[in-house]
């Protein structure tokens, strides 16, 4: 399961620093992070809570801007893009999956996916996206009528329906038990394998790192480890 | 349908009660706008068509007697297109089944057929000129007495009792609003118009070859001012009583006054509703956006741009606007129908040309949508500024820093739940301000509408209780010496008789002039008195005249200056008299003078042409019978009857209006309080549920919600009173005319009723929300964020 290391970089981050100020309190979430991500790669970003994982992913996805440092998506520098350009970037290139699914409660599974397919450039149909995550039978259910695992799979379908270049997943299994968590990981794995979508998977669950091509560990706003996983396994083989 | 639009509809369904509350407030404003404007446009259009088809004259003039040939002379005045002369006279009528005498105004029909003020035959035919006993009657009067063609009744014409036969029923553009002389409103039973052949009228009144009234139509370029001046000069030798345009023609002036009142309503009332609904949209949309903060962040993460997200929420506001406008249109049409029917009872139009108020529909829709758009915009704007990553985080808890107010609150040693109420108001002053404003607007709207009732009641009080305490006023065919009062005392049932002298005059000051009446008050008068707006009896100065404010303003005259008075009937004296006093008197248009001062200035013995009577109530029938038999009496006013009519009209139309206004005024309060309370509940459900978990009872937790709303309501009431005073003042300015000024007076009852209605409405609304508090599932409420 070795990967062609000559693949092109999708993301390149240089010296990212992010400082949050609330009143008198100053929180340094990132303290000079360098990172790159190549085509088709699945990276697991490990770290304790507060280590800066989510901040890093939000900046990569154009949801937040660093206090200092630069981010490139392919040849474009995101850190200098306007709000309008960032919106277009998210619309065309990035799929997000969040820990709490973030589905619109007043829309059905199909409609939640349609929310994206209606504005994307070359999307798959909501039906196809939902079929990919094994939810063909539950398309007309509202989020409240779906289990946690199903909701997360709707969120994945929504994220992949636009055929994004990169999938950013922030603790996608964090709110799930291990059995449903593994189903979700399988969905992500298949998308990465079949569509070649570069995937960043944030977790604080060390067991999950075994499914990645590469593991990056963050601690206290810095990268403390960045290594290729030579013993990659399928999600079904993981347990926690 | 796009997924985002589907979300919109489902969101709207979630907040349907709040949406409806806002739509109703907005709808009320639109309803008044559309209703008043459609009614006004309908009446204006009907009036114009009626005037045009029936050739309503532009200028009117009266004189004692002029040769019929004067008509051709008048026709030569530049600007005159058409002239018609006629004989007009007042007569006492004796109708079967009616104890008291009625008053009739007799009008001659030209032998060649009328060419101006064409009577419209509604039933039967016009009288045959060769049959002197035949007459046509005004339809309302004939209807009231069931005088169908062929019926007979008696009239005293020129001192002679005659039997007349009805040939038909007629309506005329001259008498859309048929006011009996000396009355305050139309009285179809006691006042009728009688059309009679010219020959018959001339014979009956000794006016062969003569006329005493002229009606003129102007050419397109005709200048009414110049024609009136020319007429006054021309008619002076014939005892001219002054020419006047449509603006002083009673029926036209009243109709116009009513129309401008409708116009004022369409302009003054809706803005309150529109402003309140803009605030409500802002409040509700603001809350919805706060609750959907995470969803907004998500939409941004998915790649939706600011414009799309803003558009999404503005669409929601627009939908509320569309519902409100739709409701307003529907109710507006309905109310226009009702008002047109109500006006139909007052004004006698032979037909109604319905105007659908298209202009009002378009304007109201634009205003309505702009209103909600503006309200929505502010709320939406705040949501757009959040970066998506931050939007998806739950909002930070509000900062409660300790300030001055807290030290005060702490010093008061309030219960914690009471403290929560005060803290919430202090921490969200903007929202408290919107609630305050909305509730006070509701109080203000009610004060303004109840004010109309106050004003009319005060007028009634001043006219009936203070100024006219006589039961009956009789007018004499000719002025007589003071001995006539002695004769009147001998009429059956008369307890007291007082003399009065009223003379049509032209009042002049500089280049300004007004046609009005001069009223001489005899010393020792106790029945008919001069009273100002405050209800105080005005003592007449020994010298000089007393003028009501409106007349003084119209003439540009102040106390101390000289007023020229030209009498427009015999003895046609011209007097220069100093203005001794100017008094506030809303309905007053007349010049007042002490009788001794007048007759001294005229150098004549005192004269009497009106007599006020105090009558034993059980002898009215005998008095009426005697008056019918007395040729010297030309007419009579039964004040008890006038009062009855006044009260009946008041309770009918005014009460309906007040009920409608109360309903819509109260709707504002409900809309505001319901929405504010719902938002409180949704924002604080976590907090309130926590209180329940801690062991507070439902009542104690409900107190936090109800207490805050009712405290704000109580604070808003005095502010609303003040707002109402301003609104009522605006109303006075808007509907006052040359002929009438509403007295500015607000009763305690008005303040109390407005406060009570709003208080109860607010309580009802907040209790509706409080019921939801009982249904909150504690476990879920504690889990949910935001």
């Amino acid at each position: 399961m070795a990967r062609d290391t000559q693949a092109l970089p999708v993301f390149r981050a240089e010296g990212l620093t992010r400082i949050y100020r609330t009143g008198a309190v100053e929180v340094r979430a990132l303290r000079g992070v360098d990172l790159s991500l190549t085509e088709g790669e699945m990276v697991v970003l490990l770290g304790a809570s507060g280590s800066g994982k989510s901040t890093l992913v939000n900046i990569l996805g154009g949801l937040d801007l660093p206090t200092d440092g630069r981010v490139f998506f392919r040849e474009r520098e995101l850190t200098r893009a306007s709000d309008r350009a960032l919106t277009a970037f998210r619309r065309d290139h990035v799929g997000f999956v969040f820990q709490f699914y973030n589905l619109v409660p007043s829309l059905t599974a199909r409609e939640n996916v349609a929310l994206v397919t209606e504005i994307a450039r070359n999307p798959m149909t909501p039906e196809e996206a939902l079929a990919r995550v094994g939810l063909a039978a539950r398309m007309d259910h509202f989020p409240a009528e779906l289990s946690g695992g199903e909701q997360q799979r709707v969120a994945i379908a929504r994220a992949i329906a636009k055929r994004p270049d990169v999938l950013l997943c922030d603790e996608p299994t964090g709110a799930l038990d291990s059995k449903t968590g593994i189903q979700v990981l399988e969905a992500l794995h298949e998308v990465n394998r079949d569509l070649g979508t570069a995937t960043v998977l944030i977790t604080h669950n060390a067991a999950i790192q075994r499914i990645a091509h590469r593991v990056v560990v963050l601690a206290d706003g810095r990268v403390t480890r960045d290594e290729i996983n030579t013993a990659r396994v399928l999600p079904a083989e993981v347990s926690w | 349908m796009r997924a985002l639009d589907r979300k919109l509809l489902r969101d709207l369904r979630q907040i349907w009660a709040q949406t409806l509350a806002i739509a109703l407030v907005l709808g009320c404003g639109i309803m008044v706008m559309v209703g008043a404007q459609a009614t006004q446009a309908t009446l204006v259009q009907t009036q114009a068509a009626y005037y045009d088809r029936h050739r309503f004259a532009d200028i009117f003039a009266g004189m004692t007697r002029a040769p019929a040939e004067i008509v051709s002379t008048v026709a030569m005045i530049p600007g005159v297109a058409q002239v018609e002369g006629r004989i007009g006279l007042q007569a006492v009528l004796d109708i079967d089944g009616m104890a008291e005498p009625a008053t009739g105004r007799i009008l001659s029909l030209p032998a060649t057929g009328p060419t101006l003020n064409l009577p419209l035959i509604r039933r039967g035919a016009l009288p045959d000129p060769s049959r002197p006993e035949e007459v046509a009657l005004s339809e309302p009067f004939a209807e009231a007495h069931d005088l169908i063609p062929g019926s007979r009744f008696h009239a005293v014409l020129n001192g002679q009792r005659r039997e007349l036969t009805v040939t038909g029923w007629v309506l005329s553009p001259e008498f859309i609003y048929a006011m009996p002389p000396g009355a305050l409103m139309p009285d179809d039973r006691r006042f009728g118009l009688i059309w009679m052949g010219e020959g018959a009228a001339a014979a009956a009144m000794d006016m062969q070859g003569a006329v005493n009234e002229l009606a003129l139509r102007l050419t397109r370029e005709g200048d009414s001012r110049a024609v009136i001046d020319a007429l006054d000069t021309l008619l002076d030798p014939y005892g001219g009583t002054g020419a006047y345009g449509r603006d002083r023609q009673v029926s036209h002036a009243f109709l116009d006054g009513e129309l401008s009142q409708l116009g004022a309503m369409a302009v003054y009332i809706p803005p309150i509703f529109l402003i309140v609904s803009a605030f409500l949209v802002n409040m509700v949309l603001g809350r919805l956006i706060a609750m959907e903060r995470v969803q907004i962040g998500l939409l941004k993460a998915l790649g939706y741009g600011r414009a799309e997200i803003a558009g999404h929420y503005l669409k929601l506001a627009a939908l509320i606007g569309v519902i409100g406008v739709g409701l307003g249109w529907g109710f507006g049409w309905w109310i226009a129908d009702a008002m047109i029917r109500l006006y139909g009872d007052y004004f006698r139009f032979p037909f109604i040309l319905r105007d659908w108020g298209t202009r009002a529909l378009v304007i109201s829709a634009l205003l309505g949508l702009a209103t909600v758009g503006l309200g929505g915009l502010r709320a939406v704007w705040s949501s757009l500024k959040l970066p998506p990553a931050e939007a998806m985080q739950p909002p930070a808890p509000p900062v409660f820093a300790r300030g001055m107010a807290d030290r005060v609150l702490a010093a008061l040693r309030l219960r914690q739940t009471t403290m929560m109420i005060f803290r919430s108001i202090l921490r969200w002053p903007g929202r408290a301000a919107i609630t305050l404003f909305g509730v006070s607007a509701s109080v203000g709207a009610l004060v303004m509408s109840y004010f109309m009732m106050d004003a009319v009641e005060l007028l009634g009080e001043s006219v009936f209780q203070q100024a006219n305490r006589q039961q009956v006023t009789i007018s004499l065919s000719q002025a007589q010496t003071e001995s006539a009062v002695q004769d009147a005392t001998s009429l059956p049932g008369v307890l007291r008789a007082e003399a009065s002298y009223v003379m049509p005059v032209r009042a002049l000051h500089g280049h300004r002039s007004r046609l009005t009446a001069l009223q001489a008050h005899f010393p020792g008068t106790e029945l008919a008195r001069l009273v100002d707006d405050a209800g105080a009896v005005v003592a007449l100065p020994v010298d000089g005249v007393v003028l009501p404010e409106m007349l003084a303003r119209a003439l540009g005259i102040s106390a101390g200056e000289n007023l020229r008075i030209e009498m427009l009937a015999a003895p046609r004296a011209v007097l220069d008299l100093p203005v001794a006093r100017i008094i506030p008197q809303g309905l007053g248009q007349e010049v007042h003078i002490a009788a001794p001062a007048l007759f001294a200035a005229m150098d004549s013995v005192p004269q009497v042409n009106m007599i006020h009577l105090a009558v034993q109530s059980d002898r009215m029938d005998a008095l009426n019978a005697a008056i019918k038999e007395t040729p010297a009496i030309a007419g009579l006013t039964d004040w008890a009857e006038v009062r009855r009519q006044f009260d009946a009209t008041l309770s009918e139309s005014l009460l309906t209006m007040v009920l409608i206004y109360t309903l819509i005024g109260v709707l504002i309060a409900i809309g505001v309080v319901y929405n504010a309370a719902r938002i409180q509940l949704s924002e604080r459900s976590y907090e309130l549920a926590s209180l329940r978990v801690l062991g507070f009872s439902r009542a104690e937790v409900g107190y936090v919600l109800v207490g805050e709303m009712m405290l704000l309501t109580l604070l808003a009431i005095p502010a609303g009173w003040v707002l109402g005073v301003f609104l009522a003042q605006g109303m006075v300015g808007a509907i006052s005319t040359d002929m009438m000024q509403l007295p500015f007076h607000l009763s305690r009852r008005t303040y109390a009723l407005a406060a009570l209605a709003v208080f109860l409405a607010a309580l009802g609304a907040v209790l509706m929300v409080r019921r939801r508090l009982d249904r909150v599932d504690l476990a879920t409420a504690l889990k949910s964020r935001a």
Side-chain angles (χ1 to χ4, degrees):
Chain A
M1 290 186 84
R3 269 177 40 81
D4 175 9
T5 46
Q6 296 307 304
L8 295 164
V10 183
F11 277 117
R12 186 158 50 87
E14 297 169 355
L16 289 186
T17 301
R18 181 64 168 101
I19 300 168
Y20 291 108
R21 287 188 185 83
T22 34
V25 193
E26 197 179 275
V27 180
R28 290 179 164 267
L30 295 179
R31 304 164 184 254
V33 171
D34 299 320
L35 184 77
S36 67
L37 179 69
T38 51
E39 300 269 16
E41 191 178 30
M42 178 179 268
V43 173
V44 163
L45 206 54
L46 260 182
S49 87
S51 59
K53 308 178 302 264
S54 295
T55 306
L56 177 59
V57 161
N58 284 343
I59 291 173
L60 292 180
L63 291 181
D64 200 357
L65 289 170
T67 313
D68 197 17
R70 306 202 295 171
V71 178
F72 293 89
F73 172 74
R74 301 225 159 95
E75 292 311 310
R76 269 168 60 202
E77 186 179 344
L78 293 180
T79 31
R80 291 170 66 171
S82 66
D83 178 75
R84 184 184 294 265
L86 281 181
T87 300
F89 162 67
R90 293 195 297 266
R91 178 186 291 217
D92 298 333
H93 303 290
V94 189
F96 285 101
V97 178
F98 303 100
Q99 179 179 4
F100 294 106
Y101 335 128
N102 283 349
L103 299 180
V104 175
S106 57
L107 297 179
T108 61
R110 190 205 307 262
E111 288 161 357
N112 262 289
V113 179
L115 213 47
V116 165
T117 57
E118 281 166 0
I119 59 168
R121 260 193 215 156
N122 175 30
M124 47 184 98
T125 62
E127 292 75 13
E128 185 191 343
L130 284 162
R132 257 182 199 286
V133 296
L135 282 177
R138 306 194 49 88
M139 288 195 291
D140 292 318
H141 288 68
F142 283 98
E145 297 164 340
L146 298 170
S147 73
E150 286 170 328
Q151 288 186 53
Q152 191 59 296
R153 281 187 282 153
V154 174
I156 294 170
R158 187 176 63 186
I160 61 168
K162 69 170 79 156
R163 306 182 199 276
D165 296 295
V166 56
L167 202 53
L168 301 175
C169 313
D170 191 350
E171 298 274 12
T173 60
L176 303 173
D177 60 69
S178 70
K179 189 164 161 274
T180 29
I182 285 163
Q183 286 173 0
V184 166
L185 292 179
E186 278 175 333
L188 289 173
H189 177 82
E190 280 162 26
V191 167
N192 175 254
R193 184 192 60 203
D194 301 347
L195 303 177
T197 312
T199 305
V200 177
L201 205 159
I202 288 184
T203 182
H204 63 269
N205 182 345
I208 292 174
Q209 62 181 299
R210 295 175 58 207
I211 70 165
H213 295 118
R214 187 152 65 100
V215 178
V216 176
V217 178
L218 239 63
D220 207 14
R222 289 194 183 87
V223 175
T224 54
R225 204 179 91 199
D226 184 345
E227 55 190 35
I228 305 290
N229 178 17
T230 47
R232 195 172 180 231
V233 300
L234 288 172
E237 300 168 52
V238 178
S239 68
W240 65 85
Chain B
M1 189 188 287
R2 287 171 50 109
L4 213 49
D5 292 333
R6 225 165 262 173
K7 165 181 176 308
L8 186 86
L9 291 181
R10 293 191 187 132
D11 281 351
L12 201 65
R13 205 155 56 198
Q14 276 291 309
I15 54 165
W16 71 268
Q18 285 163 277
T19 302
L20 186 68
I22 302 176
L24 280 175
V25 173
L26 180 65
C28 281
I30 306 267
M31 169 184 86
V32 174
M33 201 179 217
V34 170
Q37 218 268 319
T39 308
Q40 189 201 28
T42 296
L43 295 181
V44 166
Q45 183 170 304
T46 303
Q47 178 195 35
Y50 191 17
Y51 282 1
D52 189 55
R53 290 182 203 170
H54 290 269
R55 310 187 65 79
F56 182 50
D58 295 311
I59 309 276
F60 305 82
M63 66 230 87
T64 315
R65 181 195 183 105
E69 295 75 47
I70 191 95
V71 168
S72 37
T73 319
V74 170
M76 268 147 35
I77 297 174
V80 174
Q82 210 173 1
V83 194
E84 189 170 291
R86 72 176 173 199
I87 300 161
L89 200 84
Q90 192 169 308
V92 171
L93 310 179
D94 183 4
I95 309 289
D96 278 349
M98 187 172 161
E100 68 274 29
T103 304
R105 185 155 142 68
I106 300 195
L107 304 163
S108 72
L109 286 164
T112 51
T115 54
L116 285 178
N117 303 323
L118 306 183
L120 174 78
I121 299 158
R122 301 278 285 176
R123 188 170 175 180
L126 288 180
D128 181 341
S130 66
R131 293 172 170 270
E133 78 282 6
E134 286 191 355
V135 293
L137 295 180
S138 50
E139 183 180 55
F141 181 72
E143 229 167 35
H145 296 289
D146 202 21
L147 288 168
I148 55 167
S151 316
R152 291 155 201 279
F153 65 97
H154 289 92
V156 180
L157 295 177
N158 208 17
Q160 279 187 321
R161 191 178 153 86
R162 299 251 317 260
E163 191 183 53
L164 300 172
T165 306
V166 179
T167 61
W169 294 6
V170 156
L171 285 178
S172 160
E174 234 183 313
F175 303 101
I176 295 172
Y177 193 82
M179 282 266 278
L184 295 171
M185 51 189 63
D187 182 346
D188 293 340
R189 218 170 78 82
R190 315 178 118 260
F191 179 67
L193 297 147
I194 301 168
W195 282 265
M196 184 184 264
E198 194 174 62
M205 295 175 233
D206 232 353
M207 292 276 286
Q208 281 90 351
V211 295
N212 64 0
E213 288 180 13
L214 290 176
L216 291 75
R217 233 173 127 89
L218 299 177
T219 60
R220 200 179 292 272
E221 306 78 38
D223 170 14
S224 66
R225 191 66 254 161
V227 173
I228 286 171
D229 288 344
L231 269 176
D232 283 343
T233 315
L234 182 69
L235 297 179
D236 194 51
Y238 304 106
T241 53
Y244 52 91
R246 285 182 178 178
D247 58 327
R248 316 286 297 176
Q249 203 265 346
V250 174
S251 162
H252 178 87
F254 268 87
L255 185 50
D256 255 20
E258 209 58 43
L259 292 178
S260 63
Q261 197 170 329
L262 280 172
M265 215 158 87
V267 171
Y268 269 81
I269 298 176
I272 306 175
F273 290 89
L274 295 188
I275 294 171
V276 171
S277 37
F279 279 125
L280 288 181
V281 167
N282 177 264
M283 198 155 86
V284 169
L285 211 57
R287 176 57 194 156
L288 185 71
I289 285 171
M291 283 198 300
E292 294 195 346
R293 199 181 142 95
V294 176
Q295 293 184 33
I296 292 170
L298 169 81
L299 289 174
K300 285 182 177 175
L302 292 180
Y304 279 88
R306 287 181 182 191
E308 284 159 304
I309 297 172
H312 173 65
Y313 286 102
L314 284 179
K315 256 191 228 168
L316 191 80
L319 265 179
I320 298 177
V322 167
I323 298 173
V325 168
L327 285 174
W329 280 6
F331 285 121
W333 271 336
W334 171 74
I335 212 164
D337 263 340
M339 289 211 292
I340 288 168
R341 223 171 304 128
L342 199 67
Y343 278 114
D345 287 346
Y346 266 157
F347 298 121
R348 285 298 181 144
F349 289 112
F351 53 84
I352 294 284
L353 289 183
R354 187 79 159 84
D355 181 299
W356 292 102
T358 326
R359 198 170 61 99
L361 292 184
V362 173
I363 294 177
S364 65
L366 290 179
L367 276 178
L369 291 179
T371 299
V372 292
L374 272 178
L377 212 55
R378 231 194 70 88
V380 169
W381 183 245
S382 62
S383 74
L384 297 180
K385 287 184 297 192
L386 282 179
E390 200 179 324
M392 277 189 287
Q393 301 295 317
V399 183
F400 281 82
R402 297 188 70 86
M404 256 290 282
D406 294 278
R407 283 197 285 278
V408 175
L409 290 178
L412 289 173
R413 293 184 171 280
L414 298 168
R415 275 192 297 168
Q416 287 310 310
T417 41
T418 306
M419 195 75 112
M420 284 173 75
I421 291 176
F422 282 110
R423 284 252 164 83
S424 159
I425 292 175
L426 290 171
R427 290 309 166 252
W428 287 279
R431 191 159 62 210
I434 291 178
T435 309
L436 269 177
F437 171 77
V439 176
S440 54
S442 159
V443 174
L446 287 182
V447 167
M448 173 172 71
S449 33
Y450 295 155
F451 155 73
M452 292 294 288
M453 202 160 65
D454 281 345
V456 176
E457 269 183 6
L458 184 74
L459 283 180
E461 159 78 17
S462 143
V463 169
F464 297 113
Q465 309 285 19
Q466 304 294 331
N468 296 291
R469 308 197 299 175
Q470 68 276 30
Q471 276 87 45
V472 172
T473 296
I474 51 179
S475 50
L476 307 178
S477 336
Q478 279 169 355
Q480 300 181 20
T481 59
E482 271 185 292
S483 65
V485 179
Q486 293 309 312
D487 298 343
T489 316
S490 61
L491 285 169
V494 172
L495 299 170
R496 185 182 169 88
E498 286 177 1
S500 174
Y501 183 77
V502 179
M503 166 67 61
V505 297
R506 182 183 291 116
L508 300 107
H509 176 247
H511 62 280
R512 302 200 214 187
S513 75
R514 267 283 184 286
L515 288 178
T516 172
L518 174 71
Q519 203 168 350
H521 298 258
F522 286 79
T525 300
E526 280 174 19
L527 297 176
R529 307 179 297 182
L530 178 59
V531 174
D532 68 14
D533 275 346
V537 176
V538 178
L540 284 143
V542 184
D543 261 324
V545 296
V546 173
L547 295 185
E549 260 168 12
M550 299 254 290
L551 182 60
R553 214 175 304 140
L555 290 169
I557 198 166
S558 37
E561 294 184 88
N562 262 357
L563 179 71
R564 166 155 293 198
I565 289 174
E566 298 177 3
M567 291 191 174
L568 297 174
R572 306 193 71 79
V574 177
L575 306 170
D576 283 308
L577 297 165
V579 175
R581 258 184 88 181
I582 290 170
I583 57 167
Q585 204 190 27
L587 279 183
Q589 290 292 324
E590 294 167 355
V591 182
H592 299 271
I593 188 167
L598 175 66
F599 296 110
M602 284 167 69
D603 200 13
S604 97
V605 291
Q607 304 256 300
V608 176
N609 60 10
M610 279 177 110
I611 300 173
H612 305 298
L613 304 175
V615 184
Q616 263 176 280
S617 51
D618 55 345
R619 302 288 307 279
M620 275 303 289
D621 287 352
L623 177 67
N624 281 326
I627 287 173
K628 284 181 190 172
E629 302 297 328
T630 311
I633 297 175
L636 129 162
T637 308
D638 179 341
W639 287 93
E641 187 57 32
V642 174
R643 169 104 224 210
R644 239 192 314 281
Q645 289 271 341
F646 184 83
D647 288 346
T649 312
L650 201 70
S651 55
E652 251 175 60
S653 58
L654 216 55
L655 210 63
T656 315
M657 290 291 203
V658 164
L659 275 179
I660 292 175
Y661 282 137
T662 304
L663 188 71
I664 62 181
V666 156
L667 263 178
I668 300 187
I670 294 177
V672 170
V673 172
Y674 181 77
N675 271 306
R678 278 299 294 271
I679 287 169
Q680 280 282 348
L681 180 65
S682 112
E683 267 183 5
R684 305 175 75 183
S685 57
Y686 181 85
E687 195 176 320
L688 299 178
S690 306
L691 285 180
R692 292 274 288 122
V693 172
L694 290 176
F696 282 83
S697 71
R698 285 196 172 146
E700 283 165 321
V701 176
Y703 163 76
V704 177
L705 187 72
V706 177
E708 177 172 343
M709 288 302 141
M710 294 323 286
L711 176 65
L712 287 174
T713 301
L714 286 178
L715 290 174
I717 285 173
W721 286 339
V722 174
L723 182 66
V725 168
F726 283 113
L727 289 172
Q729 271 168 348
M731 198 80 172
V732 168
I735 67 179
S736 286
T737 62
D738 249 14
M739 311 264 290
M740 178 207 71
Q741 185 173 28
L742 277 185
F744 185 74
H745 165 77
L746 286 158
S747 69
R748 278 200 202 115
R749 184 191 60 191
T750 287
Y751 291 117
L753 271 183
L756 187 70
V758 168
F759 185 85
L760 291 179
L763 191 64
V766 74
L767 287 179
M768 264 194 290
V769 178
R770 192 200 166 283
R771 275 184 31 224
R772 303 180 77 93
L773 190 62
D774 295 342
R775 294 202 298 262
V776 169
D777 172 17
L778 296 185
T780 326
L782 287 179
K783 260 192 273 174
S784 72
R785 315 184 304 177

